[in-house]
Amino acid sequence: MSAIGLGLDTTFDDTSVAILRGKREILSNLTLSQYKEHEEFGGVVPERASRKHLEVIHHIIAGALKEADLDFSGIDYIAVSNYPGLLGSLLVGLTVAKSLAYTLQCPLIGVNHVEAHPYANVLEHGEMQFPILHLVVAGGHTLLIHARGHFDYKIIGRSVDDAAGECVDKVAKMFGHSMPGGPVVDRAAMEFTGDVYDFPRPMLHKKTHNFSFSGLKTAMLRFKEKSQSTSSSSFDSPERLQEDGPILASFFQSVIDVLIHKTFNAAEAYGLNNISVSGGLAASRKLRLAFEAESARKGVNLFYPPPNLCTDNAAMVTCLAAHRYEAELFDDLTLDAFANLN
Ligand code: KG4
Ligand code: ZN
Protein backbone atom coordinates (compact mmCIF):
# COMPACT_ATOMS: atom_id res chain seq x y z
CA MET A 1 0.00 0.00 0.00
CA SER A 2 1.38 3.41 -0.96
CA ALA A 3 1.87 5.88 1.87
CA ILE A 4 -0.36 8.96 1.96
CA GLY A 5 1.21 12.30 2.86
CA LEU A 6 -0.39 15.58 3.82
CA GLY A 7 1.85 18.54 2.90
CA LEU A 8 1.75 22.23 3.78
CA ASP A 9 3.38 25.18 2.04
CA THR A 10 3.17 28.63 3.62
CA THR A 11 6.54 29.98 2.54
CA PHE A 12 5.43 33.29 1.08
CA ASP A 13 1.98 34.58 0.18
CA ASP A 14 0.19 31.38 -0.89
CA THR A 15 -1.38 28.96 1.57
CA SER A 16 -1.28 25.52 0.01
CA VAL A 17 -2.25 22.05 1.23
CA ALA A 18 -1.87 18.81 -0.74
CA ILE A 19 -2.57 15.15 -0.16
CA LEU A 20 -0.48 12.71 -2.16
CA ARG A 21 -0.73 8.93 -2.46
CA GLY A 22 2.64 7.33 -3.20
CA LYS A 23 4.98 9.64 -5.04
CA ARG A 24 2.74 10.93 -7.81
CA GLU A 25 -0.98 10.53 -7.22
CA ILE A 26 -2.40 13.93 -6.25
CA LEU A 27 -5.56 13.36 -4.20
CA SER A 28 -5.91 17.11 -3.54
CA ASN A 29 -3.82 20.24 -4.06
CA LEU A 30 -5.53 23.40 -2.85
CA THR A 31 -3.87 26.82 -2.94
CA LEU A 32 -5.23 30.13 -1.73
CA SER A 33 -3.33 33.06 -3.20
CA GLN A 34 -3.07 36.28 -1.19
CA TYR A 35 -2.37 38.63 -4.12
CA LYS A 36 -5.56 40.58 -3.53
CA GLU A 37 -4.69 40.97 0.19
CA HIS A 38 -1.45 42.78 -0.61
CA GLU A 39 -2.29 44.61 -3.82
CA GLU A 40 -3.19 47.93 -2.20
CA PHE A 41 0.24 47.97 -0.47
CA GLY A 42 2.12 47.41 -3.74
CA GLY A 43 3.85 44.28 -2.44
CA VAL A 44 3.59 41.44 0.07
CA VAL A 45 3.37 42.69 3.67
CA PRO A 46 4.98 39.93 5.83
CA GLU A 47 2.81 40.54 8.91
CA ARG A 48 -0.40 40.40 6.87
CA ALA A 49 0.81 37.28 5.06
CA SER A 50 1.32 35.32 8.30
CA ARG A 51 -2.02 36.44 9.71
CA LYS A 52 -3.77 35.35 6.52
CA HIS A 53 -2.07 31.92 6.60
CA LEU A 54 -3.25 31.48 10.18
CA GLU A 55 -6.79 32.50 9.28
CA VAL A 56 -7.21 30.07 6.40
CA ILE A 57 -4.90 27.09 6.87
CA HIS A 58 -7.29 24.92 8.89
CA HIS A 59 -10.08 25.49 6.39
CA ILE A 60 -7.79 24.51 3.52
CA ILE A 61 -6.67 21.36 5.35
CA ALA A 62 -10.33 20.43 5.90
CA GLY A 63 -11.04 21.11 2.22
CA ALA A 64 -8.09 19.00 1.09
CA LEU A 65 -9.20 16.04 3.26
CA LYS A 66 -12.72 16.35 1.92
CA GLU A 67 -11.53 16.43 -1.67
CA ALA A 68 -9.35 13.37 -1.05
CA ASP A 69 -12.30 11.67 0.69
CA LEU A 70 -10.13 10.97 3.74
CA ASP A 71 -9.95 11.82 7.42
CA PHE A 72 -6.79 12.27 9.48
CA SER A 73 -6.63 8.54 10.21
CA GLY A 74 -5.75 7.98 6.54
CA ILE A 75 -2.61 10.16 6.72
CA ASP A 76 0.78 8.40 7.07
CA TYR A 77 3.10 11.42 7.33
CA ILE A 78 3.08 15.22 7.47
CA ALA A 79 5.26 17.29 5.14
CA VAL A 80 6.03 20.99 5.43
CA SER A 81 8.32 23.53 3.75
CA ASN A 82 10.46 24.89 6.59
CA TYR A 83 12.77 27.08 4.44
CA PRO A 84 13.39 29.46 2.67
CA GLY A 85 10.67 32.12 2.90
CA LEU A 86 9.11 34.75 5.14
CA LEU A 87 9.79 33.62 8.69
CA GLY A 88 6.34 34.50 10.08
CA SER A 89 4.65 32.66 7.21
CA LEU A 90 6.89 29.60 7.52
CA LEU A 91 6.19 29.37 11.25
CA VAL A 92 2.44 29.07 10.67
CA GLY A 93 2.87 26.02 8.42
CA LEU A 94 5.57 24.53 10.63
CA THR A 95 3.55 24.89 13.85
CA VAL A 96 0.45 23.35 12.29
CA ALA A 97 2.56 20.53 10.80
CA LYS A 98 4.19 19.76 14.16
CA SER A 99 0.83 19.73 15.95
CA LEU A 100 -0.59 17.34 13.37
CA ALA A 101 2.43 15.01 13.45
CA TYR A 102 2.36 14.97 17.26
CA THR A 103 -1.38 14.35 17.48
CA LEU A 104 -1.45 11.72 14.75
CA GLN A 105 1.82 10.17 15.99
CA CYS A 106 3.18 10.04 12.46
CA PRO A 107 6.48 11.13 10.87
CA LEU A 108 7.18 14.83 10.23
CA ILE A 109 9.20 15.68 7.13
CA GLY A 110 10.66 19.17 6.60
CA VAL A 111 11.34 20.18 3.01
CA ASN A 112 13.41 22.87 1.29
CA HIS A 113 10.81 24.76 -0.77
CA VAL A 114 13.27 25.56 -3.57
CA GLU A 115 14.49 21.95 -3.78
CA ALA A 116 10.80 20.97 -4.07
CA HIS A 117 10.06 23.09 -7.18
CA PRO A 118 11.67 20.59 -9.64
CA TYR A 119 9.60 17.75 -8.09
CA ALA A 120 6.56 19.23 -9.84
CA ASN A 121 8.12 17.47 -12.85
CA VAL A 122 7.95 14.09 -11.13
CA LEU A 123 4.21 14.61 -10.62
CA GLU A 124 3.80 15.35 -14.32
CA HIS A 125 6.39 13.19 -16.08
CA GLY A 126 7.35 10.39 -13.69
CA GLU A 127 10.66 9.72 -11.94
CA MET A 128 13.50 12.17 -12.40
CA GLN A 129 16.13 11.31 -15.01
CA PHE A 130 19.45 11.76 -13.19
CA PRO A 131 21.87 13.42 -13.66
CA ILE A 132 19.86 16.53 -14.41
CA LEU A 133 20.24 20.30 -14.40
CA HIS A 134 17.35 22.11 -12.70
CA LEU A 135 16.67 25.74 -13.49
CA VAL A 136 14.41 27.10 -10.75
CA VAL A 137 12.93 30.45 -11.77
CA ALA A 138 10.68 31.64 -8.96
CA GLY A 139 9.76 34.98 -7.44
CA GLY A 140 12.42 34.76 -4.75
CA HIS A 141 15.09 32.55 -6.34
CA THR A 142 16.86 31.92 -9.62
CA LEU A 143 18.99 28.82 -9.26
CA LEU A 144 20.86 26.31 -11.37
CA ILE A 145 21.03 23.00 -9.51
CA HIS A 146 23.10 20.03 -10.61
CA ALA A 147 21.29 16.97 -9.24
CA ARG A 148 22.96 13.55 -9.28
CA GLY A 149 20.20 11.80 -7.32
CA HIS A 150 17.47 12.55 -4.79
CA PHE A 151 18.91 14.76 -1.98
CA ASP A 152 22.26 14.70 -3.79
CA TYR A 153 22.65 18.02 -5.49
CA LYS A 154 24.78 21.12 -5.72
CA ILE A 155 23.74 24.68 -6.47
CA ILE A 156 26.06 25.73 -9.30
CA GLY A 157 24.51 29.10 -10.14
CA ARG A 158 22.29 31.66 -8.46
CA SER A 159 21.27 35.26 -8.81
CA VAL A 160 23.71 37.55 -7.04
CA ASP A 161 20.94 40.14 -6.59
CA ASP A 162 17.27 40.09 -7.72
CA ALA A 163 15.67 36.83 -8.82
CA ALA A 164 14.34 36.76 -12.40
CA GLY A 165 10.73 36.66 -11.16
CA GLU A 166 11.34 39.54 -8.77
CA CYS A 167 12.81 41.59 -11.63
CA VAL A 168 9.82 40.79 -13.86
CA ASP A 169 7.37 41.73 -11.07
CA LYS A 170 9.16 45.00 -10.33
CA VAL A 171 9.37 46.05 -13.99
CA ALA A 172 5.69 45.23 -14.54
CA LYS A 173 4.88 47.35 -11.48
CA MET A 174 7.09 50.17 -12.82
CA PHE A 175 4.90 50.20 -15.93
CA GLY A 176 1.76 50.35 -13.82
CA HIS A 177 0.65 46.73 -13.86
CA SER A 178 -0.77 44.82 -10.93
CA MET A 179 0.75 41.86 -9.08
CA PRO A 180 1.89 39.34 -10.10
CA GLY A 181 3.73 40.86 -13.07
CA GLY A 182 4.73 37.59 -14.75
CA PRO A 183 1.43 36.82 -16.51
CA VAL A 184 1.15 40.42 -17.85
CA VAL A 185 4.72 40.43 -19.18
CA ASP A 186 4.21 36.98 -20.70
CA ARG A 187 1.09 38.18 -22.45
CA ALA A 188 2.97 41.15 -23.91
CA ALA A 189 5.77 38.83 -25.03
CA MET A 190 3.30 36.53 -26.81
CA GLU A 191 1.60 39.43 -28.61
CA PHE A 192 4.62 41.56 -29.58
CA THR A 193 8.08 40.83 -30.95
CA GLY A 194 10.91 41.11 -28.45
CA ASP A 195 13.40 42.82 -30.76
CA VAL A 196 12.09 46.40 -30.85
CA TYR A 197 14.35 47.55 -27.98
CA ASP A 198 17.80 46.25 -27.13
CA PHE A 199 17.87 46.07 -23.33
CA PRO A 200 20.91 44.75 -21.42
CA ARG A 201 21.53 41.02 -21.00
CA PRO A 202 23.45 40.98 -17.71
CA MET A 203 26.33 38.52 -17.16
CA LEU A 204 25.64 36.94 -20.55
CA HIS A 205 29.28 36.51 -21.50
CA LYS A 206 30.74 36.09 -18.03
CA LYS A 207 32.16 32.60 -17.37
CA THR A 208 30.26 32.20 -14.08
CA HIS A 209 26.95 30.29 -13.93
CA ASN A 210 25.54 33.04 -11.69
CA PHE A 211 22.86 35.52 -12.73
CA SER A 212 22.27 39.20 -12.06
CA PHE A 213 19.01 40.97 -12.83
CA SER A 214 19.16 44.23 -10.87
CA GLY A 215 21.11 46.03 -13.67
CA LEU A 216 18.37 45.18 -16.15
CA LYS A 217 15.76 46.46 -13.68
CA THR A 218 17.67 49.75 -13.34
CA ALA A 219 18.01 50.02 -17.13
CA MET A 220 14.22 49.66 -17.41
CA LEU A 221 13.74 52.39 -14.80
CA ARG A 222 16.04 54.76 -16.74
CA PHE A 223 14.22 53.90 -19.98
CA LYS A 224 10.87 54.58 -18.32
CA GLU A 225 12.06 57.93 -16.96
CA LYS A 226 13.35 59.05 -20.37
CA SER A 227 10.29 58.02 -22.37
CA GLN A 228 7.43 59.74 -20.57
CA SER A 229 4.21 57.80 -20.97
CA THR A 230 1.35 59.64 -22.65
CA SER A 231 -1.23 57.05 -21.70
CA SER A 232 -2.92 56.79 -18.33
CA SER A 233 -5.18 53.94 -19.39
CA SER A 234 -5.04 50.38 -18.08
CA PHE A 235 -3.02 47.60 -19.73
CA ASP A 236 -6.12 46.10 -21.27
CA SER A 237 -6.92 49.18 -23.32
CA PRO A 238 -5.63 49.16 -26.93
CA GLU A 239 -3.48 52.31 -26.58
CA ARG A 240 -1.73 51.11 -23.43
CA LEU A 241 -1.10 47.73 -25.04
CA GLN A 242 0.42 49.39 -28.09
CA GLU A 243 2.64 51.57 -25.92
CA ASP A 244 3.85 49.08 -23.31
CA GLY A 245 3.63 45.79 -25.22
CA PRO A 246 6.84 46.08 -27.30
CA ILE A 247 8.80 47.43 -24.31
CA LEU A 248 7.75 44.62 -21.99
CA ALA A 249 8.23 42.04 -24.76
CA SER A 250 11.79 43.31 -25.41
CA PHE A 251 12.50 43.35 -21.67
CA PHE A 252 11.28 39.76 -21.29
CA GLN A 253 13.37 38.71 -24.29
CA SER A 254 16.46 39.91 -22.36
CA VAL A 255 15.44 37.85 -19.32
CA ILE A 256 14.78 34.77 -21.46
CA ASP A 257 18.03 35.14 -23.43
CA VAL A 258 20.03 35.24 -20.18
CA LEU A 259 18.18 32.26 -18.69
CA ILE A 260 18.60 30.19 -21.86
CA HIS A 261 22.25 31.09 -22.37
CA LYS A 262 23.26 30.42 -18.77
CA THR A 263 21.26 27.17 -18.48
CA PHE A 264 22.53 25.58 -21.68
CA ASN A 265 26.10 26.73 -20.98
CA ALA A 266 25.95 25.10 -17.55
CA ALA A 267 24.46 21.91 -19.04
CA GLU A 268 27.34 21.76 -21.50
CA ALA A 269 29.96 22.51 -18.85
CA TYR A 270 28.66 19.69 -16.63
CA GLY A 271 27.92 17.30 -19.52
CA LEU A 272 24.19 17.14 -18.71
CA ASN A 273 21.59 16.05 -21.25
CA ASN A 274 18.51 16.48 -19.03
CA ILE A 275 17.20 19.91 -18.09
CA SER A 276 14.17 20.80 -15.99
CA VAL A 277 12.63 24.24 -15.66
CA SER A 278 10.33 24.98 -12.71
CA GLY A 279 9.11 27.82 -10.47
CA GLY A 280 6.48 30.46 -11.18
CA LEU A 281 8.19 32.03 -14.17
CA ALA A 282 8.26 28.60 -15.87
CA ALA A 283 4.48 29.05 -16.31
CA SER A 284 5.32 31.63 -18.99
CA ARG A 285 4.33 30.45 -22.46
CA LYS A 286 7.07 32.53 -24.08
CA LEU A 287 9.75 31.08 -21.81
CA ARG A 288 8.56 27.52 -22.45
CA LEU A 289 8.60 28.02 -26.22
CA ALA A 290 12.13 29.45 -26.04
CA PHE A 291 13.40 26.52 -23.92
CA GLU A 292 11.67 24.02 -26.21
CA ALA A 293 13.32 25.50 -29.31
CA GLU A 294 16.80 25.56 -27.75
CA SER A 295 16.43 22.01 -26.37
CA ALA A 296 15.42 20.74 -29.79
CA ARG A 297 18.40 22.55 -31.35
CA LYS A 298 20.82 21.11 -28.79
CA GLY A 299 19.26 17.62 -28.59
CA VAL A 300 18.61 17.96 -24.85
CA ASN A 301 15.69 16.38 -22.92
CA LEU A 302 13.56 19.16 -21.46
CA PHE A 303 11.05 18.78 -18.63
CA TYR A 304 8.67 21.38 -17.28
CA PRO A 305 5.51 21.08 -15.18
CA PRO A 306 2.00 22.26 -16.14
CA PRO A 307 1.47 25.94 -15.19
CA ASN A 308 -0.48 25.20 -11.97
CA LEU A 309 2.45 23.13 -10.66
CA CYS A 310 5.02 25.80 -11.65
CA THR A 311 3.71 28.37 -9.17
CA ASP A 312 3.87 27.62 -5.45
CA ASN A 313 1.91 24.52 -4.45
CA ALA A 314 2.03 21.91 -1.72
CA ALA A 315 1.88 18.95 -4.15
CA MET A 316 5.52 19.46 -5.17
CA VAL A 317 6.48 19.77 -1.49
CA THR A 318 4.68 16.52 -0.64
CA CYS A 319 6.25 14.83 -3.68
CA LEU A 320 9.77 15.60 -2.42
CA ALA A 321 8.66 14.52 1.07
CA ALA A 322 7.37 11.22 -0.36
CA HIS A 323 10.91 10.49 -1.57
CA ARG A 324 12.25 11.35 1.89
CA TYR A 325 9.57 9.15 3.49
CA GLU A 326 10.70 6.20 1.39
CA ALA A 327 14.31 6.85 2.45
CA GLU A 328 13.10 7.21 6.10
CA LEU A 329 14.57 10.70 6.31
CA PHE A 330 12.30 11.97 9.08
CA ASP A 331 12.50 15.07 11.25
CA ASP A 332 11.43 15.50 14.85
CA LEU A 333 9.51 18.17 16.75
CA THR A 334 12.64 20.31 17.13
CA LEU A 335 12.43 21.14 13.39
CA ASP A 336 13.02 24.88 12.90
CA ALA A 337 12.13 27.42 10.19
CA PHE A 338 14.74 29.47 8.31
CA ALA A 339 14.25 32.54 6.15
CA ASN A 340 17.30 31.88 3.99
CA LEU A 341 18.29 29.07 1.67
CA ASN A 342 21.54 28.49 3.58
O1 KG4 B 1 7.25 29.95 -7.71
P1 KG4 B 1 6.44 31.16 -7.40
O2 KG4 B 1 4.95 31.01 -7.40
O3 KG4 B 1 6.83 31.75 -6.00
C1 KG4 B 1 8.09 31.70 -5.45
O4 KG4 B 1 8.54 30.60 -5.02
O5 KG4 B 1 8.72 32.78 -5.41
O6 KG4 B 1 6.89 32.28 -8.44
C2 KG4 B 1 6.31 33.54 -8.49
C3 KG4 B 1 6.77 34.23 -9.77
C4 KG4 B 1 6.36 35.70 -9.84
O7 KG4 B 1 7.46 36.46 -10.31
C5 KG4 B 1 5.22 35.71 -10.86
O8 KG4 B 1 5.10 36.93 -11.54
C6 KG4 B 1 5.67 34.59 -11.78
O9 KG4 B 1 6.20 33.60 -10.91
N1 KG4 B 1 4.56 34.01 -12.56
C7 KG4 B 1 4.53 33.97 -13.92
C8 KG4 B 1 3.29 33.36 -14.27
N2 KG4 B 1 2.64 33.04 -13.12
C9 KG4 B 1 3.43 33.43 -12.08
N3 KG4 B 1 5.41 34.41 -14.82
C10 KG4 B 1 5.08 34.25 -16.12
N4 KG4 B 1 3.94 33.69 -16.55
C11 KG4 B 1 3.02 33.22 -15.68
N5 KG4 B 1 1.88 32.67 -16.11
ZN1 ZN C 1 8.30 28.85 -4.93
Side-chain angles (χ1 to χ4, degrees):
M1 270 285 277
S2 298
I4 295 183
L6 184 150
L8 310 175
D9 188 84
T10 60
T11 42
F12 192 46
D13 60 341
D14 290 328
T15 320
S16 188
V17 179
I19 298 177
L20 196 71
R21 189 188 344 247
K23 290 187 195 138
R24 295 190 54 212
E25 193 188 343
I26 300 174
L27 301 182
S28 51
N29 184 26
L30 302 180
T31 304
L32 186 80
S33 170
Q34 298 183 6
Y35 279 124
K36 289 275 163 270
E37 284 292 312
H38 303 282
E39 203 162 26
E40 60 177 300
F41 302 97
V44 175
V45 183
E47 167 84 13
R48 285 179 76 91
S50 2
R51 281 178 185 277
K52 191 70 191 173
H53 286 308
L54 199 57
E55 199 180 302
V56 300
I57 193 159
H58 293 98
H59 298 291
I60 303 180
I61 292 171
L65 285 167
K66 191 164 179 224
E67 193 171 292
D69 200 16
L70 286 173
D71 58 35
F72 282 121
S73 66
I75 302 298
D76 297 302
Y77 66 93
I78 302 292
V80 63
S81 315
N82 64 317
Y83 74 109
L86 296 172
L87 203 53
S89 291
L90 289 164
L91 285 171
V92 175
L94 182 59
T95 307
V96 172
K98 282 185 183 183
S99 315
L100 286 175
Y102 179 75
T103 313
L104 303 174
Q105 286 295 297
C106 69
L108 171 70
I109 301 176
V111 161
N112 170 351
H113 172 92
V114 178
E115 184 189 348
H117 265 296
Y119 280 78
N121 284 298
V122 174
L123 295 168
E124 180 66 9
H125 306 291
E127 253 324 323
M128 207 94 84
Q129 307 287 313
F130 293 113
I132 187 166
L133 180 68
H134 298 307
L135 170 68
V136 179
V137 270
H141 295 274
T142 304
L143 295 174
L144 279 170
I145 302 170
H146 174 200
R148 288 168 295 252
H150 298 297
F151 337 121
D152 177 14
Y153 63 89
K154 195 172 166 216
I155 295 172
I156 59 167
R158 60 172 73 210
S159 179
V160 296
D161 40 53
D162 289 5
E166 192 180 348
C167 174
V168 167
D169 288 346
K170 285 178 179 166
V171 169
K173 191 176 157 196
M174 221 182 266
F175 282 81
H177 300 294
S178 55
M179 304 163 52
V184 177
V185 171
D186 186 43
R187 196 177 127 206
M190 291 302 285
E191 287 181 28
F192 295 88
T193 65
D195 55 6
V196 177
Y197 301 95
D198 188 19
F199 294 124
R201 282 149 172 78
M203 313 262 275
L204 197 64
H205 297 296
K206 291 245 169 77
K207 275 228 167 75
T208 162
H209 299 304
N210 286 339
F211 305 88
S212 164
F213 289 102
S214 77
L216 174 60
K217 181 187 66 187
T218 310
M220 296 309 296
L221 188 62
R222 297 281 166 271
F223 179 88
K224 172 93 180 117
E225 282 166 356
K226 267 198 260 161
S227 53
Q228 272 310 315
S229 167
T230 49
S231 168
S232 58
S233 43
S234 73
F235 183 79
D236 291 324
S237 67
E239 56 288 16
R240 184 65 180 260
L241 196 71
Q242 290 305 321
E243 188 179 303
D244 275 359
I247 304 169
L248 293 178
S250 300
F251 155 71
F252 201 39
Q253 194 58 52
S254 285
V255 175
I256 290 177
D257 283 354
V258 172
L259 293 173
I260 294 254
H261 187 88
K262 291 275 172 190
T263 305
F264 284 86
N265 258 10
E268 206 176 311
Y270 284 79
L272 301 170
N273 211 38
N274 298 310
I275 291 180
S276 95
V277 186
S278 58
L281 214 62
S284 149
R285 289 162 299 169
K286 188 74 184 179
L287 186 138
R288 294 154 89 98
L289 288 172
F291 269 86
E292 269 175 26
E294 190 65 5
S295 299
R297 216 169 65 77
K298 295 257 165 77
V300 161
N301 304 317
L302 175 71
F303 304 90
Y304 51 75
N308 68 317
L309 295 178
C310 287
T311 46
D312 285 350
N313 67 89
M316 67 186 196
V317 168
T318 320
C319 180
L320 169 54
H323 290 78
R324 294 188 81 90
Y325 181 84
E326 189 184 61
E328 296 190 17
L329 293 169
F330 304 148
D331 291 289
D332 59 31
L333 296 177
T334 63
L335 186 67
D336 208 348
F338 305 95
N340 296 327
L341 187 55
N342 45 29

